Amino acid sequence: MSGVDFDKLSEQLSAYLDGELSGRERAAVEAVLKKSEPARKRLAELKQVTSLVGALPRHLAPESIAEDLMKAAERIQLLDDNGRAGQAPGGGWRIGLGVLAVAAVVTLFVTVALQFGRSPGESLFGLPLASLDKGEGTAAEPHHLGEGPVGSQVTQSDDAWSAPRGRNGVADETRRRPHGKKAPDEVTSAAPHFWEIDLESEDLIALAAVANVTQKLTAGVDNAGLRAHQFSNESNVLSVAFADAASRGAAADRLVSDLVLHGSIDLAQSTEPPQNRDFYYHGNVDYNFDASDEEQILVHVRTSQLSRVLHEVGGSADSPADVRLQIGPIAARGYEPAQALIQIAQERYASGGDRKTTASLEEDAESSSTDQAVRRETLAGEAVLRDVVKVLAGKSEAPSESSVDMDDKAPSEQSEQEDAAEPDESSQVDAPVATGKGEERRRSKQKDSDRAVDEEDVPERTPLVERRLDTARKKKAQREGLRKAQDSAEEEPAPGAGAPWRQTPQPETRQADPTDDPYVTLVVRLLLKPPPGAKVPPSSRARPQNANDNSDAKPPSH
Amino acid sequence: MEAFGKLVERYQDRVFNTCWRICGSLEDARDLTQDTFLKALSGISDFRRKSGFYTWLFRIAVNMALSHRRKMKHRAAVSLDQATNPAGSQAERLIDRIEQAKTSDPSCEAQGAELQARAVGALYGLDDDQRAVVVLRDIEGLDYRDIAAILDIAPGTVKSRLHRGRLALRQVLVSPQRANEG
């Protein structure tokens, strides 16, 4: 055997030792080992080497590492508390975004260390942390933490150490903090925990993903909150309940495929932070959410694409009543009301008038003192919408069927209640089958709705209402035409046809001016209906915590 | 805050040992471990699900340790060149490092294990690239795929670097007579 061949064989032996050869390669190596004494000898030597290196003693990390890091984290929290002061509390769009705030304050924290003359390779923790509260350090240009988006201070560089900006400002700002005179412990214990990272890497993924949604930085990330809210603090949520995991998975796949086909990028796979463009983020039960009965897809699309999203997901449900859509403060239960709500939302966005529906909440919140105030204002601005939706949904519908919730609760409260109650509600829904009874019921409801249109029983005749009525009349005419055509056709539905209530979405009507068709973030929640008779207590939705699991088990690689 | 403590608690020993075995200094490993967690914290928005969190954390740690070592090596270049034979083979440099390891590694001193001291010295004498692979594989027990992700190299490169590193170690750790026969 030549030297080159033996080197190659030796490399294979090394990989063989590690169990890194394919079955075929392994068989080849074993065949050589049977015949070749030098090969066996080399394998033994490699084994000896790996055993010796593997048996080298290990040190426990000095306890001071954790202590110092905790001090650093406390320091971050102090700074974060200051950053929070300039912003409205709460707000779904903030969930998770504080991760970047953490990044910002860590960067700033590091720059403080650098200010004290430490180089990147040196320890940060000789830094006299308490000195910050005492006002040590040099005052310089003002630091804007808390006066604007924290994100403006995040360095885009991978290397946090190379971010000199705000270096002096941190010390200056820290001195000016209103609670600067309090003892650090007092402040940190009083401040809400702004971040908690679960040991599951998937939670970090979720945090990172959410942080990338708008690239806006606010203090207030709360991983526990993220899990509890399931993104439900987002103003726009489409919930669809499925009878089994297979149909749910198929719906998720269909939606994702459709999103990809229409140019949406996978947020988790994107190497660049998505700015103002379509993207989606698909988290499933094994990834980043507690609930064992749902998947979630975070969708960032233009309003004109919402109806397609509804069609892809809601169209797969067993019953229209399994579909629920919340846009801003309005929740529509049922497929058709959801469609109507989307159309209304589109018009509202396109009208350029009172846009205080959903996306503008985000802008408003920044200038408002509290989210609640913004929401109240929003609710008032939605009064017309409510009336229209009532008309469209049919006022005589039973509440458990297609209906529209017009609760004046803040979206977050509403969502939380929904989170707790939704599985039970789903189980209470008398889900009609796609044909037969369900069709009769649908037609009955439609008649009610049409009657409302005919009688023009509208409480308030605004231009918007007029437009909606026009649309409803046209739809009624279309339906009647379709019904006649169906009546004359065979009773047997065409193969592959969906349930009658599953309508093909209208073609996207993108506005000439993109600003008339703004992006919205929609949380698509794909639920599983509990088995008949089963009651799922809200508490059981939480994933068992494994925070105490300190095993060295390697997390699953992706 | 509590969760952050748990995160540190969970990974600090592995990160610390990896840094230690790559940079060769307990004190530096301590600082590097702290810096790794801080950098992970600051770069959380860059973390993507292409890799697991563990892999991502180790990537930071290894990069920092290698970077630190390069800086240290640069600073000590003159003195090292004076202390060792610049024309010597890697094996000769490994043997030189064994003597240094005996005094710089307290664990070896305490245990008085000559063989372990030789292994430590040999490890520290490896080229940086080879040592990182050997540490991640033979000490941390990672598979080639994870090592490749951590070091941002192809799995085939992991395989060849690991092999070369092991051969270099073999020259020191396996009896010289036997090693020369190979």
Side-chain angles (χ1 to χ4, degrees):
Chain A
M1 188 178 289
S2 72
V4 175
D5 288 344
F6 193 78
D7 281 350
K8 184 68 188 165
L9 173 64
S10 179
E11 187 175 305
Q12 290 293 87
L13 288 170
S14 172
Y16 175 76
L17 200 58
D18 296 327
E20 294 277 355
L21 293 181
S22 65
R24 205 170 165 182
E25 290 172 322
R26 193 168 56 245
V29 166
E30 284 169 352
V32 173
L33 282 171
K34 278 183 188 170
K35 295 185 286 185
S36 169
E37 175 59 27
R40 286 195 293 272
K41 186 178 154 195
R42 174 59 60 90
L43 183 65
E45 289 168 356
L46 291 172
K47 259 185 196 170
Q48 190 180 349
V49 166
T50 54
S51 300
L52 280 170
V53 173
L56 286 177
R58 295 175 66 88
H59 265 291
L60 292 177
E63 285 182 7
S64 59
I65 287 182
E67 290 169 9
D68 288 342
L69 281 169
M70 290 306 290
K71 282 180 189 170
E74 284 175 8
R75 176 61 48 191
I76 291 165
Q77 192 169 20
L78 285 172
L79 294 174
D80 175 77
D81 187 51
N82 182 47
R84 190 195 299 266
Q87 297 167 5
W93 48 89
R94 303 220 173 101
I95 291 295
L97 302 184
V99 168
L100 293 181
V102 171
V105 291
V106 166
T107 302
L108 296 172
F109 177 72
V110 167
T111 61
V112 174
L114 294 177
Q115 181 186 358
F116 282 80
R118 296 196 169 260
S119 69
E122 293 172 327
S123 170
L124 299 174
F125 296 95
L127 173 68
L129 295 171
S131 66
L132 293 176
D133 280 337
K134 293 172 188 168
E136 293 177 15
T138 55
E141 70 272 14
H143 163 58
H144 300 289
L145 191 65
E147 296 174 17
V150 187
S152 59
Q153 288 133 31
V154 172
T155 173
Q156 293 303 309
S157 164
D158 251 353
D159 186 2
W161 312 109
S162 64
R165 66 186 83 170
R167 175 184 300 186
N168 295 329
V170 174
D172 184 56
E173 179 69 18
T174 308
R175 279 203 307 279
R176 292 193 279 109
R177 282 189 293 107
H179 48 61
K181 290 181 181 176
K182 293 181 181 176
D185 287 350
E186 189 184 350
V187 175
T188 51
S189 61
H193 285 184
F194 64 86
W195 79 288
E196 284 187 30
I197 291 184
D198 191 67
L199 296 180
E200 296 296 320
S201 62
E202 292 78 9
D203 287 321
L204 297 177
I205 294 168
L207 288 169
V210 177
N212 279 330
V213 167
T214 62
Q215 291 290 302
K216 285 190 175 183
L217 300 180
T218 54
V221 63
D222 177 348
N223 194 36
L226 175 71
R227 293 198 308 270
H229 287 298
Q230 312 279 316
F231 290 127
S232 59
N233 267 3
E234 289 287 343
S235 302
N236 309 324
V237 181
L238 170 63
S239 302
V240 181
F242 294 91
D244 56 73
S247 54
R248 181 182 67 174
D253 290 344
R254 196 164 40 251
L255 174 60
V256 168
S257 303
D258 186 71
L259 289 168
V260 171
L261 278 174
H262 286 79
S264 289
I265 56 167
D266 181 353
L267 187 62
Q269 299 296 329
S270 169
T271 54
E272 294 174 6
Q275 298 298 326
N276 207 23
R277 64 158 295 176
D278 302 355
F279 65 80
Y280 68 94
Y281 175 69
H282 188 187
N284 60 37
V285 291
D286 295 326
Y287 267 91
N288 41 9
F289 306 109
D290 278 346
S292 59
D293 61 348
E294 69 183 68
E295 287 189 44
Q296 294 192 53
I297 303 175
L298 191 65
V299 176
H300 187 65
V301 293
R302 290 186 183 275
T303 51
S304 58
Q305 297 171 293
L306 288 175
S307 56
R308 213 185 58 234
V309 173
L310 173 66
H311 174 74
E312 293 296 345
V313 182
S316 311
D318 292 338
S319 156
D322 293 338
V323 178
R324 183 184 176 89
L325 175 68
Q326 178 187 333
I327 292 187
I330 306 175
R333 175 156 299 163
Y335 190 87
E336 285 191 19
Q339 277 185 319
L341 183 54
I342 287 174
Q343 286 175 19
I344 292 164
Q346 276 179 251
E347 288 175 14
R348 296 285 287 186
Y349 282 122
S351 70
D354 179 12
R355 284 192 175 186
K356 292 184 188 307
T357 46
T358 51
S360 59
L361 280 172
E362 193 166 322
E363 294 166 11
D364 291 342
E366 288 175 2
S367 57
S368 171
S369 58
T370 67
D371 289 346
Q372 199 59 44
V374 171
R375 286 178 177 142
R376 271 192 224 108
E377 190 183 350
T378 304
L379 288 166
E382 297 293 347
V384 177
L385 280 180
R386 296 178 196 183
D387 293 333
V388 174
V389 175
K390 275 179 184 170
V391 170
L392 286 176
K395 291 192 293 187
S396 60
E397 289 173 359
S400 62
E401 293 289 342
S402 299
S403 64
V404 178
D405 291 344
M406 293 300 168
D407 198 337
D408 276 3
K409 287 170 190 162
S412 59
E413 293 172 40
Q414 199 172 341
S415 299
E416 283 166 19
Q417 290 183 3
E418 287 166 18
D419 282 346
E422 201 139 27
D424 292 344
E425 286 173 3
S426 301
S427 65
Q428 289 161 6
V429 170
D430 179 18
V433 290
T435 55
K437 269 188 176 180
E439 172 64 3
E440 284 171 19
R441 199 170 298 171
R442 189 192 68 80
R443 289 191 177 186
S444 166
K445 277 185 282 182
Q446 194 60 61
K447 279 178 189 169
D448 289 342
S449 177
D450 291 346
R451 196 179 308 124
V453 172
D454 291 338
E455 293 167 4
E456 300 190 351
D457 181 19
V458 182
E460 199 172 349
R461 302 294 293 270
T462 65
L464 186 62
V465 172
E466 290 290 357
R467 280 206 303 278
R468 294 302 314 136
L469 285 170
D470 279 347
T471 309
R473 286 188 198 106
K474 286 175 190 168
K475 286 180 74 176
K476 183 190 170 190
Q478 284 174 355
R479 276 196 303 272
E480 283 174 348
L482 184 65
R483 203 171 295 155
K484 282 175 187 170
Q486 282 176 341
D487 289 345
S488 61
E490 288 184 8
E491 289 292 323
E492 191 77 18
W501 51 271
R502 296 171 188 164
Q503 298 172 8
T504 305
Q506 292 177 350
E508 287 169 25
T509 51
R510 289 221 172 188
Q511 309 295 323
D513 180 2
T515 57
D516 284 347
D517 188 13
Y519 280 100
V520 292
T521 303
L522 176 73
V523 179
V524 180
R525 303 177 60 201
L526 308 174
L527 312 169
L528 268 190
K529 290 183 194 174
K535 282 267 180 182
V536 182
S539 59
S540 71
R541 292 159 59 87
R543 182 172 50 194
Q545 293 292 315
N546 61 348
N548 295 325
D549 176 14
N550 292 325
S551 72
D552 269 352
K554 192 174 68 174
S557 57
H558 303 292
Chain B
M1 196 71 73
E2 187 186 341
F4 177 60
K6 284 173 182 167
L7 185 72
V8 173
E9 188 184 333
R10 176 164 182 158
Y11 291 114
Q12 63 174 349
D13 287 341
R14 300 188 74 174
V15 170
F16 176 75
N17 277 281
T18 300
C19 291
W20 173 37
R21 290 308 183 190
I22 289 177
C23 77
S25 157
L26 282 170
E27 189 57 33
D28 289 348
R30 176 185 178 281
D31 295 345
L32 287 166
T33 303
Q34 290 174 337
D35 295 351
T36 295
F37 279 103
L38 278 184
K39 190 154 186 176
L41 190 60
S42 68
I44 190 68
S45 61
D46 297 328
F47 175 62
R48 301 192 182 283
R49 89 177 184 200
K50 283 178 186 170
S51 61
F53 176 70
Y54 174 88
T55 308
W56 181 67
L57 187 68
F58 267 66
R59 186 176 202 165
I60 296 171
V62 171
N63 284 340
M64 293 190 82
L66 288 174
S67 170
H68 174 72
R69 186 169 164 81
R70 276 193 289 273
K71 283 180 199 163
M72 294 298 107
K73 199 188 278 183
H74 181 68
R75 282 185 204 171
V78 177
S79 59
L80 270 178
D81 284 349
Q82 288 169 348
T84 60
N85 176 9
S89 66
Q90 188 177 32
E92 288 169 329
R93 281 186 280 131
L94 296 184
I95 292 168
D96 287 338
R97 290 303 303 262
I98 291 172
E99 293 307 315
Q100 294 175 25
K102 282 180 186 173
T103 55
S104 66
D105 190 331
S107 65
C108 292
E109 236 179 16
Q111 295 182 27
E114 176 66 21
L115 200 54
Q116 277 189 349
R118 287 174 70 86
V120 169
L123 187 65
Y124 293 160
L126 287 178
D127 292 341
D128 286 352
D129 289 344
Q130 291 173 11
R131 185 170 57 259
V133 174
V134 169
V135 166
L136 291 173
R137 171 63 215 170
D138 290 339
I139 295 181
E140 285 304 318
L142 300 180
D143 61 28
Y144 288 9
R145 190 176 156 199
D146 284 347
I147 296 170
I150 288 170
L151 297 175
D152 201 16
I153 56 178
T157 311
V158 173
K159 187 177 167 185
S160 59
R161 280 188 191 173
L162 188 57
H163 175 240
R164 287 201 301 276
R166 283 170 174 171
L167 286 187
L169 293 171
R170 164 183 159 271
Q171 285 192 280
V172 176
L173 298 177
V174 180
S175 64
Q177 191 181 356
R178 287 184 66 190
N180 289 334
E181 287 170 8

